[in-house]
């Protein structure tokens, strides 16, 4: 509601004044000047005194400004005409005092003396809000219901609470420093390329904030030379970095060749030579730790077997794809190694056969699932035990050769290789019948192990162990299933016995065998054995050998070509055991190149294991493989599997193919790249490989790639065409492009290289044959380039023939005259597009060819057509080209 102020006046207490806003229109009431008191003559029927508001014409300026502001807001919030609404304030007395109003401002307060009429007393009942007397008087005057008038008044005008809220919003706040829209911070986060969200504010809860605009981080991409801003400025010798920046940068070439300046080194190594040199060094990255011939023979054997089990098919996009069959398992790889082969690759595939290849135990139909699983677990453990016995044979034999004549040492060494029968024979040969009886019962049941532990405890308590051989104590501890340190008796210096460690001096394979054969119960699964050994190697690395890679055990401290990270990756053999024991382990955790060889770039064995375990046997997969969806190319209807894309799988194939490319094994590299999952990526990778190795694409290599790998001939011819351009044989490249069906590339090559030569040589038949073969194909720029050359050749041939016929006595017939007229009209248009046809001013052949074409066409025009043949720019081009032509001919004659 509007706010009223009562000020001191000399009038009586019963004076009345009506309140009106500044925008009030004239009414029937009498207008009085400012400063006079307006007195209302209306009286109330109930005999009560009318309420009046005294308005002083000499009010304070601040009060006037507040009243004007409130009146303006009242006008905006109300749609009623203010002349139709007169508000009467309550009756006030002259006794006034300064009091605090609802808006915390000083006001003069008057004691209120209100007469209670019967009308007001009846309207103010319990449970209802008292209705203002002003509203009551106005309602009675116009003949409306009092309650209805009160509802209209509260709906159309602000209540005191609302007015206080608006006044608080309009109060001036302390100024805060803010950057203008055109001013930015010197070190803004935007300059760092970090994506961020803009903070926004809203005036009220009724105002919705729009979703913030996300600013993506800045992306950096390599700019091709054709799109570079410095293209064509390579001869700017003033800036050597600009002129030779691309020539002297470090880059990779075919077959793993790296071009660099100075010396290859690590960031922390000290370099003797300087990089400020103009000598470019071509080096080959050491992708293999062994010799090239040895690596070629080893990988060729693996890939030939892989190809024999992998059909090459075409996917839905017509791109060749290598789809390995389920027959490509570990047992198939073990057949390519003889039984006497103790190489690391053979041992790796034999372990995979023991852990993952399926086997049939020929169970009866009534056997339950629990029994089947139990038997499978025991059979799997037996095959792992057999593999481990064979794997540690060489180290056991080496220790036997260095052993002394002590029978206990020989027997213990045989037990570390699980050679029970030989250990019993050695014990019998030395007359140790009781010990041979105990060894024959290994690993024994629970009671057998408890008896041996009690015997060891008795020896320790009675201090008898000091008189027993250390190797004998190790034998009893091993047969008792103890892999911990066997403590000796604690006594005086003469009867003190040293502790015995059964695992001392053993490598990780024989240490794992001690847990497999003796440490854990006979019926314990492989996962339990793995967990016991892994926990001990983590908690006690000083006495339990960690699964180091095989090349660290063989070299025994010799220097390696690469620096190994810390911690050193586990051996690949142990990683396979871990993969079998841990169901949550993925291939991404075990396919580390340093687990297989000392070269961090050797992805040969990791890729073969990935193909067998993931693509063929479906045992495990890489961790980054996405989930496929039904009705997608990744859905296999036969198996019901959803297979998404794995970037790590494509990276494995690309790295392995690059290694093969370095060895010169082009067909094998193409075969590996055919395992890339995406069709577009597979096609690009194979094409890039063929382009880099185009000099090796002889007839024998081409027949192998086209035959066994089913690579399209178009891909091979495209690579050969690029190599022909590199050698300078442009016409051969043109023919290869045409044979490949690459008409756009052939068209561009003919326009830029072959056609200008044909124009200069006046070989119009050859010029026509270049573009006639592609006239029915879709080629960009055909009508402005290729067809323009054909029209030029046709015009030159026909104009000569028609002019020759015209010089004869017979003359031209009607058809020939019409053809000559058409040619004469088309020549000016053809001359107009010739500057755009040969736009390269740096190529002298283009300038000479342009001059020849303009001169030839101009000479065959009729005299009346000559002035309209070309504009001033074309004439200038013609003059420059003619001068250049004469210069070139004079140079050739000289």
């Amino acid at each position: 509601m509007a706010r009223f102020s009562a000020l001191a006046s000399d009038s009586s207490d019963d004076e009345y004044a009506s309140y009106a806003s500044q925008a009030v229109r004239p009414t029937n009431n009498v207008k009085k000047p400012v400063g006079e008191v307006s007195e209302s003559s209306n009286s109330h029927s109930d005999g009560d005194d009318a309420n009046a508001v005294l308005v002083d014409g000499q009010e304070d300026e601040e009060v006037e400004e507040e009243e004007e502001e409130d009146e303006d807001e009242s006008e905006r919030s109300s749609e009623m005409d203010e002349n139709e609404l007169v508000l009467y304030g309550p009756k006030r007395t002259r006794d006034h005092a300064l009091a605090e109003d609802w808006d915390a401002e000083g006001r003069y307060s008057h004691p209120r003396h209100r007469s209670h009429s019967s009308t007001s007393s009846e309207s103010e009942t319990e449970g209802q809000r008292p209705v203002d007397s002003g509203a009551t008087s106005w309602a009675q005057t116009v003949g409306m219901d009092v309650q209805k008038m009160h509802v209209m008044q509260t709906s159309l005008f602000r209540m005191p609470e609302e007015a206080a809220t608006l006044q608080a919003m309009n109060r001036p706040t302390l100024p805060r420093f803010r950057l203008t829209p055109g001013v930015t911070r010197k070190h803004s986060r935007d300059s760092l390329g970090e994506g961020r969200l803009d903070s926004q504010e809203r005036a009220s809860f009724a105002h919705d904030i729009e979703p913030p605009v996300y600013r993506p981080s800045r992306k950096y991409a390599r700019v091709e030379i054709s799109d570079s801003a410095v293209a064509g400025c390579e001869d700017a010798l003033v800036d050597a970095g600009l002129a030779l920046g691309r020539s002297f940068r470090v880059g990779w070439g075919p077959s793993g060749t790296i071009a660099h300046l100075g010396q290859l080194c690590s960031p922390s190594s000290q370099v003797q030579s300087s990089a400020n040199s103009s000598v470019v060094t071509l080096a080959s990255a050491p992708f293999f730790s062994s010799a090239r011939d040895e690596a070629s023979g080893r990988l060729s054997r693996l890939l030939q077997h892989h190809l024999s089990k992998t059909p090459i098919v075409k996917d839905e996009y017509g791109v060749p794809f290598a789809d390995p069959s389920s027959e490509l398992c570990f047992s198939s790889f073990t057949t390519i190694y003889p039984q006497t082969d103790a190489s690391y690759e053979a041992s790796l595939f034999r372990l995979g056969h023991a852990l993952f290849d399926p086997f049939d135990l020929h169970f009866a139909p009534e056997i339950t699932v629990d029994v089947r699983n139990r038997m499978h677990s025991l059979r799997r453990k037996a095959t792992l035990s057999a593999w481990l016995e064979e794997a540690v044979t060489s180290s056991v034999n080496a220790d036997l050769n260095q052993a002394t004549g002590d029978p206990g040492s020989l027997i213990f060494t045989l037990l570390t290789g699980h050679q029970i029968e030989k250990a019993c024979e050695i014990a019998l040969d030395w007359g140790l019948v009781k010990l041979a009886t105990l060894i024959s019962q290994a690993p024994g049941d629970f009671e057998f192990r408890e008896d041996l532990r009690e015997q060891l405890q008795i020896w320790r308590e009675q201090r008898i162990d000091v008189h027993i051989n250390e190797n004998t104590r190790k034998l009893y501890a091993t047969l008792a299933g103890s892999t911990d340190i066997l403590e000796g008796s604690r006594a005086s210096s003469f009867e003190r016995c040293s502790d015995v460690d059964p695992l001392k001096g053993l490598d990780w394979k024989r240490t794992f065998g001690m847990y497999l054969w003796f440490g854990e119960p006979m019926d314990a699964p492989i996962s339990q054995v793995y967990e016991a050994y892994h926990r001990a190697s983590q908690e006690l690395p000083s006495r339990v050998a960690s699964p180091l890679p095989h090349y660290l055990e063989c070299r025994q401290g010799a220097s390696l070509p690469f620096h190994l990270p810390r911690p050193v990756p586990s051996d690949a053999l142990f990683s396979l055991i871990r993969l079998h024991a841990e169901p949550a382990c993925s291939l991404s955790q075990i396919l580390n190149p340093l687990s297989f060889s000392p070269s961090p770039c050797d992805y040969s064995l990791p890729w073969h294991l990935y193909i067998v375990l993931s693509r063929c046997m479906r045992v495990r997969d890489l961790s980054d493989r996405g989930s496929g969806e039904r009705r997608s190319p990744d859905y296999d209807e036969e198996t019901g599997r959803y297979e998404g894309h794995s970037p790590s799988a494509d990276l494995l194939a690309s790295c392995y193919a690059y290694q093969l490319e370095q060895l010169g094994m082009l067909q094998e590299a193409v075969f590996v790249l055919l395992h890339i999952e995406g069709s577009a990526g597979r096609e690009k990778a194979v094409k890039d490989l063929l382009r880099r190795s185009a000099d090796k694409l002889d007839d024998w290599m081409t027949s192998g790639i086209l035959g066994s790998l089913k690579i399209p001939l178009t891909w091979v011819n495209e690579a050969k065409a690029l190599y022909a351009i590199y050698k300078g044989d442009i016409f051969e490249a043109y023919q290869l492009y045409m044979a490949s069906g690459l008409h756009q590339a052939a068209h561009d090559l003919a326009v830029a290289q072959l056609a200008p030569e044909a124009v200069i040589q006046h070989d119009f038949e050859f010029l026509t044959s270049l573009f006639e073969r592609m006239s029915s194909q879709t080629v960009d720029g055909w009508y402005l380039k290729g067809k323009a050359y054909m029209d030029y050749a046709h015009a030159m041939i026909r104009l000569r023939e028609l002019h020759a016929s015209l010089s004869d006595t017979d003359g031209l017939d009607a058809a020939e005259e019409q053809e000559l007229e058409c040619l004469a009209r088309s020549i000016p248009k053809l001359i107009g597009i010739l500057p755009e046809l040969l736009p390269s001013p740096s190529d002298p052949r283009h300038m000479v060819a342009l001059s020849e074409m303009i001169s030839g066409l101009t000479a065959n025009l009729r005299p009346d057509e000559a002035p309209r043949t070309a504009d001033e720019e074309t004439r200038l081009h013609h003059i420059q080209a003619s001068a250049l032509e004469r210069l070139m001919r004079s140079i050739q004659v000289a």
Side-chain angles (χ1 to χ4, degrees):
M1 294 177 62
R3 189 170 54 201
F4 304 99
S5 299
L7 301 178
S9 176
D10 294 334
S11 59
S12 63
D13 296 340
D14 296 332
E15 291 174 339
Y16 301 99
S18 62
Y19 176 79
S21 62
Q22 295 179 359
V24 66
R25 291 190 297 268
T27 58
N28 297 329
N29 298 334
V30 179
K31 290 185 61 178
K32 297 181 179 293
V34 178
E36 296 184 3
V37 179
S38 175
E39 191 176 56
S40 175
S41 59
N42 296 333
S43 59
H44 298 282
S45 60
D46 55 358
D48 294 341
D49 295 336
N51 296 329
V53 177
L54 180 63
V55 181
D56 191 357
Q58 304 295 331
E59 289 180 342
D60 188 81
E61 294 181 358
E62 180 180 357
V63 177
E64 292 178 356
E65 291 176 358
E66 292 179 358
E67 290 178 355
E68 291 174 0
E69 178 182 352
D70 295 339
E71 290 168 1
D72 293 338
E73 294 180 358
S74 177
E75 289 175 6
R76 288 192 298 267
S77 62
S78 175
E79 296 180 358
M80 295 183 62
D81 191 352
E82 296 187 10
N83 292 329
E84 300 175 1
L85 181 60
V86 179
L87 301 179
Y88 296 91
K91 181 178 179 181
R92 302 180 185 271
T93 62
R94 291 178 59 108
D95 298 332
H96 51 270
L98 184 64
E100 185 177 1
D101 205 354
W102 52 267
D103 56 354
E105 295 181 358
R107 295 289 184 271
Y108 284 97
S109 175
H110 301 267
R112 298 183 180 180
H113 302 280
R114 179 180 299 177
S115 61
H116 301 278
S117 62
S118 58
T119 306
S120 61
S121 61
E122 293 176 359
S123 61
E124 294 179 3
T125 58
E126 291 186 10
Q128 294 181 355
R129 182 175 178 178
V131 182
D132 191 8
S133 59
T136 303
S137 302
W138 173 250
Q140 294 176 354
T141 302
V142 298
M144 293 182 62
D145 183 55
V146 177
Q147 189 66 23
K148 185 176 180 180
M149 175 60 69
H150 177 69
V151 172
M152 293 174 62
Q153 181 180 2
T154 56
S155 300
L156 297 177
F157 298 96
R158 294 194 308 268
M159 300 299 292
E161 295 81 3
E162 297 177 2
T165 304
L166 291 176
Q167 184 178 7
M169 292 175 57
N170 294 330
R171 286 177 181 175
T173 57
L174 295 178
R176 293 188 304 172
F177 175 75
R178 293 186 179 182
L179 294 175
T180 59
V183 180
T184 58
R185 293 182 176 91
K186 181 178 180 181
H187 301 286
S188 175
R189 290 184 178 269
D190 296 344
S191 62
L192 301 178
E194 298 179 359
R196 65 184 183 90
L197 299 178
D198 293 335
S199 60
Q200 297 182 357
E201 298 181 356
R202 58 183 180 182
S204 64
F205 288 101
H207 175 67
D208 294 333
I209 298 180
E210 298 181 357
V213 179
Y214 177 75
R215 298 180 180 178
S217 58
R218 183 180 299 171
K219 302 298 182 181
Y220 298 93
R222 179 186 175 185
V223 179
E224 298 294 337
I225 185 61
S226 58
D227 300 333
S228 176
V230 299
C233 301
E234 287 79 5
D235 55 348
L237 300 180
V238 177
D239 190 349
L242 175 62
L244 303 175
R246 290 180 177 264
S247 301
F248 284 85
R249 66 180 180 181
V250 178
W252 290 94
S255 302
T257 304
I258 180 173
H260 63 90
L261 301 174
Q263 179 183 351
L264 293 178
C265 61
S266 63
S268 59
S269 61
Q270 298 294 332
V271 182
Q272 302 297 332
S273 61
S274 175
N276 296 326
S277 174
S278 298
V279 179
V280 180
T281 304
L282 299 180
S284 180
F287 288 160
F288 298 94
S289 57
S290 58
R292 295 174 60 93
D293 296 338
E294 179 185 354
S296 298
R298 175 172 57 87
L299 299 181
S300 178
R301 177 170 53 180
L302 291 174
L303 291 170
Q304 285 179 3
H305 175 73
H306 191 164
L307 179 60
S308 63
K309 302 291 184 180
T310 304
I312 306 297
V313 297
K314 289 189 176 182
D315 58 8
E316 57 181 346
Y317 301 101
V319 180
F321 174 66
D323 188 15
S325 64
S326 58
E327 298 178 0
L328 190 66
C329 55
F330 285 103
S331 60
S332 65
F333 278 98
T334 57
T335 57
I336 65 178
Y337 298 99
Q339 292 295 332
T340 58
D341 190 351
S343 62
Y344 185 76
E345 291 82 3
S347 179
L348 185 67
F349 286 109
R350 288 167 185 164
L351 175 61
H353 169 64
L355 293 176
F356 300 103
D357 278 354
F359 47 80
D360 189 8
L361 298 179
H362 304 285
F363 289 117
E366 61 273 9
I367 301 299
T368 60
V369 177
D370 295 339
V371 175
R372 291 172 183 267
N373 295 335
R374 185 64 175 172
M375 294 302 297
H376 272 94
S377 177
L378 294 177
R379 175 63 182 275
R380 192 69 72 183
K381 185 178 181 181
T383 55
L384 176 60
S385 176
W387 170 84
L388 190 58
E389 292 177 12
E390 183 181 357
V392 301
T393 300
S394 59
S395 59
V396 170
N397 294 336
D399 289 351
L400 289 175
N401 295 333
Q402 299 177 359
T404 60
D406 184 13
S409 176
L410 296 176
I411 295 174
F412 179 77
T413 302
L414 291 173
L415 288 182
T416 57
H418 202 235
Q419 300 182 19
I420 304 296
E421 185 177 353
K422 290 184 179 181
C424 292
E425 292 177 356
I426 295 295
L428 292 175
D429 292 342
W430 285 85
L432 305 175
V433 180
K434 295 181 180 179
L435 182 59
T437 304
L438 294 176
I439 294 173
S440 63
Q441 300 179 51
D445 54 7
F446 179 77
E447 295 181 358
F448 173 78
R449 297 187 176 193
E450 284 296 323
D451 293 341
L452 290 177
R453 290 193 182 96
E454 291 179 2
Q455 183 64 53
L456 292 173
Q457 183 67 21
I458 293 173
W459 286 351
R460 182 175 179 274
E461 292 175 354
Q462 298 180 1
R463 302 177 182 176
I464 302 175
D465 52 359
V466 69
H467 305 288
I468 300 177
N469 191 319
E470 181 178 343
N471 291 322
T472 303
R473 294 170 59 200
K474 289 169 64 176
L475 283 174
Y476 274 82
T478 301
L479 294 176
S482 175
T483 57
D484 299 331
I485 296 178
L486 180 62
E487 297 181 356
S489 58
R490 299 291 183 263
S492 61
S493 59
F494 296 100
E495 295 182 354
R496 179 182 296 274
C497 182
S498 60
D499 299 339
V500 175
D501 187 2
L503 304 180
K504 182 179 180 180
L506 300 180
D507 58 5
W508 79 267
K509 296 187 188 69
R510 285 197 284 174
T511 303
F512 180 80
M514 294 292 284
Y515 283 90
L516 177 66
W517 297 317
F518 307 104
E520 297 298 323
M522 182 176 57
D523 56 348
I526 298 177
S527 59
Q528 181 177 339
V529 177
Y530 161 79
E531 182 62 29
Y533 167 75
H534 183 62
R535 182 174 61 254
S537 63
Q538 296 292 325
E539 296 176 356
L540 304 170
S542 59
R543 61 176 299 265
V544 179
S546 301
L548 297 178
H550 67 98
Y551 52 85
L552 292 180
E553 297 178 353
C554 299
R555 291 182 180 268
Q556 297 179 353
S559 61
L560 297 173
F562 298 95
H563 296 285
L564 299 181
R566 292 290 184 269
V568 180
S570 302
D571 191 277
L573 300 174
F574 179 77
S575 298
L576 281 182
I577 299 175
R578 175 192 175 188
L579 188 69
H580 179 271
E582 293 184 0
C585 182
S586 65
L587 294 181
S588 301
Q589 299 174 267
I590 68 169
L591 297 182
N592 190 339
L594 293 175
S595 299
F596 300 84
S597 70
S599 174
C601 304
D602 189 359
Y603 289 88
S604 55
L605 291 177
W607 183 80
H608 285 286
L609 287 184
Y610 158 74
I611 291 297
V612 175
L613 291 172
S614 176
R615 301 294 86 196
C616 300
M617 302 183 65
R618 309 287 180 174
V619 175
R620 275 329 138 70
D621 211 332
L622 297 170
S623 59
D624 61 348
R625 183 173 298 281
S627 58
E629 300 178 356
R630 188 178 293 273
R631 297 180 182 178
S632 67
D634 301 326
Y635 177 70
D636 190 355
E637 297 181 356
E638 297 181 358
T639 59
R641 294 186 179 93
Y642 297 90
E643 295 180 355
H645 177 256
S646 173
S648 298
D650 295 346
L651 182 61
L652 274 176
S654 300
C655 294
Y656 188 23
Y658 201 70
Q659 291 180 254
L660 297 172
E661 180 186 356
Q662 186 187 37
L663 295 175
M665 304 171 66
L666 182 58
Q667 294 188 37
E668 290 81 358
V670 173
F671 171 68
V672 171
L673 290 178
L674 290 180
H675 290 79
I676 293 178
E677 299 172 0
S679 299
R682 189 185 325 124
E683 179 180 355
K684 184 180 184 303
V686 174
K687 285 185 176 181
D688 291 344
L689 175 61
L690 294 176
R691 291 167 184 170
R692 291 194 303 266
S693 307
D695 57 331
K696 301 181 179 65
L697 294 176
D698 51 9
D699 294 339
W700 180 83
M701 185 71 68
T702 302
S703 62
I705 292 177
L706 298 179
S708 59
L709 302 181
K710 300 181 180 179
I711 299 298
L713 180 61
T714 303
W715 298 4
V716 179
N717 287 338
E718 182 181 1
K720 290 182 177 180
L722 291 176
Y723 184 63
I725 295 175
Y726 169 75
K727 294 189 301 181
D729 195 347
I730 306 300
F731 184 69
E732 181 182 358
Y734 167 81
Q735 290 181 327
L736 289 171
Y737 277 138
M738 293 299 298
S740 304
L742 303 174
H743 300 97
Q744 184 66 51
H747 171 266
D748 296 340
L749 186 63
V751 168
Q753 302 291 336
L754 298 177
E757 292 283 353
V759 170
I760 296 174
Q761 299 296 330
H762 300 282
D763 193 350
F764 303 120
E765 288 78 8
F766 176 71
L767 183 61
T768 304
S769 63
L770 287 177
F771 300 98
E772 190 175 10
R773 298 168 56 184
M774 63 183 73
S775 58
S776 59
Q777 305 295 331
T778 302
V779 177
D780 293 339
W782 166 253
Y783 291 98
L784 296 178
K785 294 181 181 180
K787 191 174 185 304
Y789 273 116
M790 289 186 63
D791 294 342
Y792 165 73
H794 175 70
M796 295 301 295
I797 294 174
R798 289 301 298 162
L799 285 174
R800 289 182 181 180
E801 294 176 353
L802 293 176
H803 288 168
S805 301
L806 185 60
S807 60
D808 296 341
T809 56
D810 297 338
L812 300 176
D813 55 9
E816 292 176 342
E817 289 182 356
Q818 184 178 3
E819 182 182 2
L820 182 59
E821 184 66 23
C822 293
L823 290 175
R825 287 196 302 266
S826 63
I827 286 177
K829 299 179 182 179
L830 184 58
I831 294 178
I833 65 174
L834 289 182
E836 299 179 2
L837 183 62
L838 298 167
S840 177
S842 60
D843 192 348
R845 297 176 302 171
H846 284 204
M847 301 301 296
V848 174
L850 179 60
S851 175
E852 288 287 344
M853 296 175 73
I854 295 177
S855 300
L857 293 174
T858 306
N860 287 278
L861 285 177
R862 294 180 300 180
D864 57 341
E865 294 284 347
R868 298 178 298 172
T869 55
D871 54 6
E872 192 68 25
E873 182 180 2
T874 305
R875 293 174 183 269
L876 181 60
H877 277 290
H878 174 58
I879 295 173
Q880 293 175 350
S882 300
L884 181 60
E885 179 184 3
R886 290 193 296 270
L887 176 61
M888 296 298 295
R889 289 179 179 177
S890 63
I891 293 175
Q892 293 177 358
V893 172

